Amino acid sequence: MKCIRNLKIATPHIIPRPEHNISRANISEHATKVLYRLKAAGYQSYLVGGGVRDLLLGREPKDFDVATDATPEQVKEVFRNCRLIGRRFRLAHVHFGRDIIEVATFRSMQDASEPGDRETENGMLVRDNIYGTIEEDALRRDFTINALYYNIEDFSVVDYAGGMEDLQAGVLRLLGDPDTRYREDPVRMLRAVRFAAKLGFVVNPACENPLFELGSLLQSVPPARLFEEVLKLFMAGVALHSFEKLRHYGLFGQLFPETEEALAHEDHEFPITFVIRGMQNTDSRIREGKPVTPAFLFAVLLWEPVRLLAERLRAAGESPLVAMQQAGSDILMTQLARVSIPKRFSIPMREIWNLQHRFEQRAGKRPYRLLTHPRFRAAYDFLLLRAESGEVEQELADWWTLFQQQDGDERNQMVRQANNGDGDKPKRRRRRRRRSAKPADPR
Ligand code: ATP
Ligand code: MG
């Protein structure tokens, strides 16, 4: 009997078709095509990973992954519409228009016979291209519930790791020694949090304890990979759960150090409330099928440190806009060292921040101009969150809500009232503050 990382390769538990609930009708047409075509070409072909897990749980899978004994090159021979991708992890992508079915060759965790097929750096796996058998492939996966295979040959589910039992019990359990497996790939810690939040599963104690200890390993993960993971954590409808769990394990600070610092040192309650409301807002938008953009999500996650720094800069005499721009670029710079944020998201994120002070300007033509700004809607949604968490007056948010709903005459009336009454106040206050701040300004 072979032994890999203390896991004995046993005969698999085979669950025949009548004893599980996976029906071909619930597998996507494209995935089914790939499965059958590989089988017809004489290869083993299985559905694996999240697709099998979610179908067994009666959930709708996000995507379908296929595992086979065909090498990527052999897969390419079977499908015209196939591209090979990845260096670290070589895969075949079978394209059907915009839909992609990922086909992975069974991999082994055994030592490499060819140098370069597997590389590790300080215990971290950076390249993994040693092909193996289905048993070996099962054991190098992360969690037992992710190591279940649906066999297109006889429609059975193949379980080498006790995944079926864990699925029924609602338990997340890593395969092998948890410490080693987290060190090999620290992203598995984030995956543990994500699946626990998404499926409502408990992490079994042996896999949970290292989460409190090993967070700093995330510093060795490329920021671009962490960006992908952050999106999966916060854009799957369980952002709030994910946020709370990440903080519980001390992992949030590894991803958003400046935010963690700001949340930890704040006396008032509202910064936490703000992030929580932002997460709730994202979750309910996803539930309602409304679009969510990573720009808004990152604007929420980084707002607290940006706001505090902008406040300090304003106290030192900077104008509201310059203070916000400066704070935004400083915080973004630090953040990018941990989790990258592509420009297509960081630019609108910063616009959301930069527009905030303009909501205070309700006199003259300014409110009309703000209304036509392409980023108005996102900035306004952001203002609502700030008001809900008590950072700005609810009256200000209500004014803007009404201003959008009113027609021309009533709008003009609102602006006139703002000119004569409340609208003047922030202006006067600002002037006073600027004057008193002048002596502190070194220029
Ligand atoms: P979902 O797609 O719903 O987010 P998933 O489990 O399918 O969840 P993927 O990232 O699509 O997640 O990965 C597919 C499968 O590949 C997983 O189910 C798991 O078996 C394996 N896998 C993914 N990432 C890792 C990892 N870091 N370490 C080991 N196995 C992994
Ligand atoms: Mg998947």
Side-chain angles (χ1 to χ4, degrees), residues 353-370:
W353 294 335
N354 293 342
L355 288 175
Q356 293 307 305
H357 79 279
R358 287 178 55 184
F359 286 109
E360 287 165 34
Q361 302 165 349
R362 287 180 272 174
K365 293 207 168 58
R366 287 175 167 183
Y368 298 95
R369 249 185 265 139
L370 184 52

Side-chain angles (χ1 to χ4, degrees), residues 416-431:
R416 268 198 302 280
Q417 273 167 3
N419 279 342
N420 300 332
D422 294 346
D424 270 345
K425 279 183 193 158
K427 228 171 159 188
R428 275 206 302 275
R429 239 186 273 137
R430 248 199 332 273
R431 259 195 238 118

